[in-house]
Amino acid sequence: MNALKALHAEQDQAVWLDFVARGFIEKGELKKLVEEDGLRGVTSNPAIFEKAIGHSDEYDASLKAVQETGDSRVIDLYEGLAIADIQAAADVLRPVYEASDGADGYVSLEVSPYLALDTQATLDEARRLHKAVARDNLMVKVPATPEGIPAIRQLTAEGISINVTLLFSQEAYEAVARAFVAGIEERAKGGHDVSRIASVASFFISRIDSLVDKMLDEKIAAANDPDEKIALGSLKGKVAIANAKLAYQRYKRIFAEAQWQALAEKGAKAQRLLWASTGTKNKAYSDVLYVEELIGPNTVNTMPPATMAAFRDHGEVRATIEEDVPGAEAVMNGLARAGIDIEAVARQLVEEGVQLFIDAADNLLGAVAGKRVALLGARLDPQALALCDILSADAAKAVEAWRASGAIRRLWAKDATVWTGADEASWLGWLHIVEEELEKAADYAAFADWVKSEGFTHAVVLGMGGSSLGPEVLSLTYGQRPGYPALCILDSTHPDEVRAVEAEIDLAKTLFIVSSKSGSTLEPNVFRDYFYDRVKQTIGEKVGDHFVAVTDPGSDMERAAQAQNFKKIFYGKKQIGGRYSVLSAFGLVPAAAMGLDVKDLLDRARIMVRSCGPAVPPHNNPGVLLGAAMGTAALKGRDKVTVIASPGIASFGAWAEQLIAESTGKVGKGLIPVDGEPAGVPAVYGHDRFFLYLRLDSQADAAQDAALSALEKDGHPIARIGLDGVEQLPQEFYRLEIATAVAGAILEINPFDQPDVEASKIETKKLFAEAEKSGALPSETPIFEDEVLALYADPKNAEALPQARDGLDVAIRAHLARARQDDYVALLAYIPRNEANHAVLQEARLAIRDAKRYATCLEFGPRFLHSTGQAYKGGPNTGVFLQITGDAREDLPIPGRSLGFSTVVAAQARGDFAVLAERGRRALRVHLKAGQTEAGLARIAAALKAAVA
């Protein structure tokens, strides 16, 4: 009989294997160990599975088969593989289990190490794994952390066999043993069978010597007395065994007590001590040291394959566990006299053990994530980061910090301390929204069918910011679908723009989608009032059939929609801010109205959701990687996130602009997004840029490719994202949402509030309310005025620009001269957003960039108020702002209000400027008089170009 088999036959010690792998089971090698060596159990842990799955291809076929049925989460892919292996191993060991009456033949599967410090999560996970494996001879591994011990008791009481892991101290062992006894006792009192429950307490051995020997070496080196050196040296390599022998004495005492004996009479099986970590790490020691010295009845030794082979070859079988117990006590006393606290050693080893398993789990899940990416191929948009050495190193540190702190898991668990510990947890509903909306896919399809059947020619979204920018991207990217209405967006209160939308549509054949989370936002309400009245005048009392609302439950908009008999009300989620809402009803209702397949859109987005999920380690997580690069770049002064997108998806930049600016631009920090600047040569950029390049592979622009390649060679950081087709765009919404949240954490801000947007809203409402009472906005005194335009500024800015009294040209020259290196210049135009006006200002903007290397922003109000306005007021004070306002040729009345749209847009512009001034921003306003928009814009553009010439 070989030595391994003799351990059980002669000494009643079970041999378990600390290893599992698919090929090992399938090739019959596990069964061979059972038959030839008397193997009686198997243990696994994340490190074992990481080696098996991550460093071989024997699981690839199974992964491919699963992915071919549809994309899966990384954690589900891993668990599917692990559970299959555990079940197969359990089936091999089933005869041992039956022959031993349930005492042996177990296979262990570990609760996620990420849950080691969470009692309830450990309970939930253990129950789930027990049910999923569905084998009587499964042991669920639970760590002996302070949080794990209550779970051990409860799970035992529920009849689940537990392998308690990460035991290093006698005190911790006793606490675990008594928790087990208490669990059995509770189960017995409930009238349940206790005879088929087994448990082991995994007491770690070699790790103790590894740490204690190092501590002893340090003390030996510091000691001056030769005798002290000898005494300290005599303890090396002995502490782990002595500690285990004394733990065994506690085992004997606990299970000899009357409390346990009463349970034993009912058939309960004592929890056995299992010697773990028995592979010798110090080559100076015998390779079977931790087997030979710990042989005793009713114990288990779980060995790695190499230790099993060594013991089989030259191990000596004899009863040793109770040899020289006084000597073991002497060793432990000597350790205490040396000033080494074994309990402190144990606590350190538990903490390190949990972290080692977390590290292994990260590597394991990272390996699975990598295999999933390979199997997805073009279905997942690839991402590549080109960063300089310094920025790359900083970003890598940030990513590793996220991994070490479990930040991505904490983010998904809605832990506000990932950011500032404020109200962030209340705004994370967007994390799960894709899965939630997929459950409603049939409702969206039914709505799309109704829209088509009604014969609407247009669908108009009436909303601002997050309610309008996402739908605008969908409209401009996908275009009108056959049989469905063209989707239009109204997000400007300028009367000329309202008229332009009305002129484009047939009121009798138009569906209006009124979008407002709170229902209290001014713009959607005045849009609704205007068009509801116009449609009513056109078709009569069935006007409500042409309106649907998208709003949060219980909002003012919900009540208004009910009162006006809207055809349908769709509900958003209160826990999602507007800028994170594109994959919720606020984006999906317009998508369905224009005939997009909402289920397909969400299915594609879900691929990115899963790629950025809590089980995907930061090093493999595209959202974390991008966010870390953006955040660390900002800390290095590269805070101008310049979005370059292929022509077919160019509108994505305006949505990204809002998300980034409104999320990160606050408390003097933030990223300043730059949209609409065509890619230029390196010479026109400063060292404050971070480029985000979305490349539509099927419609790539060669000039953009060349420009970005040149910028990369010049050392600019670039994040490249490739889309196989426009259908992939939903992935990018989610990727950037995660990235922005991560960047916000790195910047140490709350990415979910918008205090300065709220300030503008409050100022606007105040001005408009005053105007409604008095009949007009308060009068203003210009700094300069002629027949075409007038200049205005607050007192502080006026004082800084005395030249403004001499006219537009000198005023603009002086204003731009206020810009410093790495500042940006923003043109904020409260005039109609049309091609002609955009072209004039775009030419001027690029002249500024090309001459001065400043980042430039061109925004049209009031829509940008709900977007970049937050960063302009609350972000870094690096902007120079030129606000452009203008009188409409003719006002447009708003039903039920004494003033029209002209007053609304004027109040918004003044409110915007007032908050810019209050925040100490460098700002100047140019007002164009009625009928002078074209001439005035030409003069402004000429002045801007002349100022930088």
Side-chain angles (χ1 to χ4, degrees):
M1 182 182 299
N2 74 43
L4 286 170
K5 207 164 190 176
L7 281 172
H8 186 259
E10 298 175 11
Q11 299 296 333
D12 190 28
Q13 182 173 71
V15 174
W16 286 14
L17 175 66
D18 197 25
F19 175 76
V20 69
R22 180 153 300 181
F24 176 76
I25 300 169
E26 291 178 344
K27 294 173 185 175
E29 295 176 52
L30 176 61
K31 185 178 181 182
K32 183 179 179 181
L33 290 179
V34 173
E35 295 172 346
E36 297 183 3
D37 293 330
L39 184 74
R40 302 181 69 77
V42 168
T43 54
S44 70
N45 60 48
I48 289 171
F49 276 116
E50 191 271 328
K51 290 177 182 176
I53 297 173
H55 297 273
S56 76
D57 59 4
E58 64 184 29
Y59 293 85
D60 291 2
S62 295
L63 287 170
K64 184 178 180 181
V66 172
Q67 283 295 97
E68 284 177 346
T69 64
D71 183 42
S72 296
R73 300 185 307 163
V74 166
I75 190 64
D76 294 333
L77 290 171
Y78 154 64
E79 284 192 356
L81 298 175
I83 287 171
D85 282 1
I86 295 297
Q87 289 173 326
D91 292 344
V92 172
L93 285 161
R94 183 76 190 195
V96 178
Y97 174 79
E98 297 292 351
S100 65
D101 191 29
D104 253 322
Y106 286 90
V107 181
S108 297
L109 177 62
E110 187 146 5
V111 166
S112 169
Y114 303 139
L115 309 177
L117 305 181
D118 187 327
T119 301
Q120 188 58 50
T122 295
L123 285 167
D124 295 341
E125 175 98 335
R127 293 164 181 150
R128 186 178 63 80
L129 292 175
H130 177 73
K131 182 178 181 181
V133 174
R135 297 293 189 275
D136 295 335
N137 55 332
L138 169 74
M139 277 190 179
V140 178
K141 292 177 78 172
V142 175
T145 58
E147 296 82 2
I149 291 175
I152 292 161
R153 172 180 173 155
Q154 180 61 36
L155 293 167
T156 300
E158 293 176 15
I160 298 175
S161 295
I162 300 299
N163 177 342
V164 184
T165 186
L166 291 180
L167 277 166
F168 297 92
S169 111
Q170 297 170 50
E171 293 296 329
Y173 163 66
E174 182 158 343
V176 163
R178 296 199 180 281
F180 167 76
V181 173
I184 291 291
E185 188 172 53
E186 180 181 336
R187 185 165 180 80
K189 287 179 179 178
H192 301 291
D193 179 19
V194 295
S195 67
R196 302 296 283 184
I197 303 170
S199 180
V200 294
S202 296
F203 203 88
F204 281 57
I205 310 300
S206 65
R207 291 189 194 180
I208 291 178
D209 274 346
S210 294
L211 178 56
V212 170
D213 284 0
K214 180 180 177 183
M215 298 170 75
L216 288 168
D217 284 338
E218 291 171 354
K219 289 185 175 293
I220 291 168
N224 295 317
D225 184 352
D227 291 339
E228 183 183 0
K229 288 179 180 285
I230 292 171
L232 290 168
S234 69
L235 298 174
K236 291 182 65 176
K238 295 181 180 178
V239 173
I241 291 170
N243 194 40
K245 286 186 174 184
L246 296 181
Y248 186 76
Q249 293 303 306
R250 295 201 187 205
Y251 154 78
K252 289 179 63 181
R253 184 172 67 252
I254 292 167
F255 289 97
E257 293 172 356
Q259 180 186 14
W260 176 255
Q261 291 303 312
L263 295 169
E265 290 177 3
K266 297 180 180 180
K269 297 177 175 65
Q271 182 189 61
R272 291 179 292 174
L273 271 164
L274 178 151
W275 312 124
S277 182
T278 55
T280 306
K281 293 177 172 58
N282 188 330
K283 293 184 179 180
Y285 303 156
S286 164
D287 58 358
V288 292
L289 173 66
Y290 300 124
V291 181
E292 288 183 339
E293 297 299 322
L294 296 173
I295 300 172
N298 207 32
T299 59
V300 180
N301 196 309
T302 183
M303 311 177 200
T307 303
M308 282 189 69
F311 194 83
R312 185 191 299 115
D313 178 69
H314 51 268
E316 180 182 353
V317 179
R318 61 187 177 87
T320 54
I321 191 64
E322 295 196 83
E323 283 185 354
D324 194 17
V325 172
E329 292 173 342
V331 168
M332 300 309 293
N333 289 334
L335 189 70
R337 285 195 300 274
I340 297 176
D341 180 356
I342 190 63
E343 290 298 320
V345 168
R347 287 192 295 272
Q348 179 180 336
L349 287 171
V350 170
E351 291 175 5
E352 292 176 353
V354 169
Q355 189 59 52
L356 284 170
F357 280 154
I358 286 175
D359 293 347
D362 284 345
N363 290 335
L364 164 62
L365 294 172
V368 175
K371 290 176 183 285
R372 171 180 170 271
V373 169
L375 290 168
L376 283 170
R379 293 166 60 200
L380 175 66
D381 297 345
Q383 172 179 290
L385 299 174
L387 309 176
C388 69
D389 291 344
I390 294 175
L391 185 52
S392 180
D394 286 349
K397 288 177 184 176
V399 171
E400 176 55 23
W402 263 63
R403 188 203 68 79
S405 67
I408 188 60
R409 296 187 299 278
R410 290 164 49 216
L411 182 154
W412 277 87
K414 301 183 179 180
D415 179 353
T417 63
V418 170
W419 298 280
T420 69
D423 69 340
E424 290 92 341
S426 301
W427 296 102
L428 292 170
W430 55 274
L431 286 170
H432 298 280
I433 195 62
V434 170
E435 294 285 358
E436 293 171 8
E437 293 291 359
L438 272 166
E439 296 177 3
K440 306 173 189 174
D443 295 337
Y444 288 114
F447 174 63
D449 289 343
W450 173 79
V451 171
K452 187 176 184 180
S453 69
E454 290 295 306
F456 293 118
T457 57
H458 290 85
V460 180
V461 174
L462 307 177
M464 298 295 292
S467 299
S468 64
L469 291 168
E472 182 179 69
V473 175
L474 299 177
S475 175
L476 294 175
T477 300
Y478 298 112
Q480 186 173 4
R481 298 295 165 114
Y484 290 91
L487 185 68
C488 306
I489 314 296
L490 178 59
D491 58 358
S492 173
T493 51
H494 196 289
D496 291 351
E497 289 214 49
V498 178
R499 283 196 190 89
V501 169
E502 185 173 355
E504 185 181 343
I505 63 176
D506 179 346
L507 289 170
K509 295 183 178 180
T510 297
L511 174 69
F512 293 90
I513 303 169
V514 188
S515 292
S516 175
K517 276 186 64 63
S518 66
S520 61
T521 303
L522 176 64
E523 298 93 335
N525 280 303
V526 295
F527 293 155
R528 184 197 73 226
D529 292 344
Y530 178 79
F531 280 105
Y532 191 88
D533 183 71
R534 293 290 296 120
V535 175
K536 187 174 183 180
Q537 292 175 27
T538 304
I539 68 169
E541 293 304 316
K542 289 192 174 182
V543 56
D545 290 349
H546 285 248
F547 284 79
V548 298
V550 186
T551 190
D552 285 351
S555 72
D556 292 341
M557 184 62 73
E558 178 189 29
R559 288 184 284 275
Q562 290 169 341
Q564 294 180 319
N565 295 314
F566 278 25
K567 185 67 177 181
K568 188 169 179 61
I569 301 173
F570 292 89
Y571 293 103
K573 193 167 184 175
K574 287 187 176 181
Q575 296 77 22
I576 302 178
R579 58 189 175 274
Y580 289 86
S581 68
V582 64
L583 296 172
S584 74
F586 286 94
L588 300 180
V589 170
M594 66 180 288
L596 294 181
D597 184 337
V598 170
K599 182 179 184 303
D600 180 71
L601 184 153
L602 291 170
D603 279 337
R604 292 175 187 276
R606 185 165 59 178
I607 291 175
M608 186 58 67
V609 175
R610 291 172 171 174
S611 297
C612 297
V616 183
H619 293 90
N620 304 87
N621 192 307
V624 175
L625 290 170
L626 179 57
M630 290 165 58
T632 53
L635 294 177
K636 287 293 184 182
R638 289 189 174 272
D639 60 351
K640 313 303 188 305
V641 179
T642 304
V643 182
I644 308 292
S646 294
I649 51 174
S651 60
F652 182 83
W655 176 85
E657 192 177 45
Q658 181 207 15
L659 177 69
I660 295 168
E662 201 170 21
S663 297
T664 69
K666 57 201 67 170
V667 296
K669 303 178 182 180
L671 298 162
I672 303 300
V674 179
D675 175 43
E677 271 191 359
V681 296
V684 303
Y685 297 107
H687 297 292
D688 58 344
R689 300 286 190 139
F690 180 99
F691 291 92
L692 177 59
Y693 180 30
L694 283 85
R695 184 180 190 274
L696 189 56
D697 295 340
S698 59
Q699 302 174 35
D701 184 295
Q704 287 181 338
D705 285 344
L708 270 295
S709 294
L711 289 168
E712 180 181 347
K713 290 178 182 177
D714 200 52
H716 290 279
I718 298 171
R720 286 183 173 86
I721 296 169
L723 287 76
D724 191 53
V726 293
E727 297 79 11
Q728 299 288 84
L729 193 60
Q731 290 186 18
E732 300 318 313
F733 292 128
Y734 202 86
R735 183 203 308 264
L736 198 57
E737 287 173 352
I738 290 284
T740 301
V742 172
I746 290 171
L747 294 174
E748 299 180 340
I749 52 91
N750 179 350
F752 309 113
D753 66 357
Q754 50 281 333
D756 301 284
V757 168
E758 298 303 327
S760 283
K761 286 183 179 180
I762 291 168
E763 188 66 24
T764 296
K765 284 184 178 180
K766 183 174 72 174
L767 284 166
F768 190 70
E770 291 174 356
E772 285 200 304
K773 287 180 182 178
S774 64
L777 291 170
S779 61
E780 299 177 290
T781 302
I783 302 172
F784 168 84
E785 183 176 18
D786 63 22
E787 69 283 357
V788 174
L789 52 79
L791 303 180
Y792 296 91
D794 62 286
K796 187 175 180 181
N797 274 298
E799 182 181 352
L801 292 169
Q803 304 91 331
R805 291 192 294 268
D806 297 327
L808 178 69
D809 293 348
V810 291
I812 285 183
R813 182 179 297 276
H815 190 47
L816 290 186
R818 302 169 80 186
R820 301 177 293 268
Q821 182 178 333
D822 295 337
D823 281 355
Y824 66 98
V825 175
L827 308 181
L828 313 179
Y830 285 83
I831 58 176
R833 185 169 66 99
N834 55 45
E835 289 184 11
N837 292 344
H838 181 273
V840 172
L841 293 176
Q842 178 77 345
E843 184 179 342
R845 143 197 222 186
L846 295 180
I848 296 169
R849 181 197 69 175
D850 294 352
K852 295 295 186 178
R853 299 170 31 136
Y854 298 142
T856 62
C857 305
L858 173 55
E859 306 289 355
F860 284 85
R863 76 187 225 139
F864 81 85
L865 286 178
H866 301 263
S867 174
T868 51
Q870 170 61 46
Y872 297 160
K873 301 175 185 70
N877 192 0
T878 53
V880 174
F881 302 98
L882 182 66
Q883 189 189 74
I884 304 168
T885 57
D887 292 327
R889 289 180 182 273
E890 183 182 350
D891 197 5
L892 192 62
I894 302 169
R897 297 181 183 267
S898 60
L899 298 173
F901 280 101
S902 289
T903 307
V904 174
V905 71
Q908 290 175 307
R910 289 204 200 179
D912 176 31
F913 197 95
V915 178
L916 284 171
E918 191 273 330
R919 299 292 192 269
R921 285 359 191 195
R922 291 160 285 174
L924 175 66
R925 174 180 156 216
V926 184
H927 182 76
L928 307 179
K929 297 183 177 181
Q932 298 295 333
T933 299
E934 184 177 348
L937 279 184
R939 281 181 58 185
I940 292 170
L944 288 168
K945 288 185 280 188
V948 298

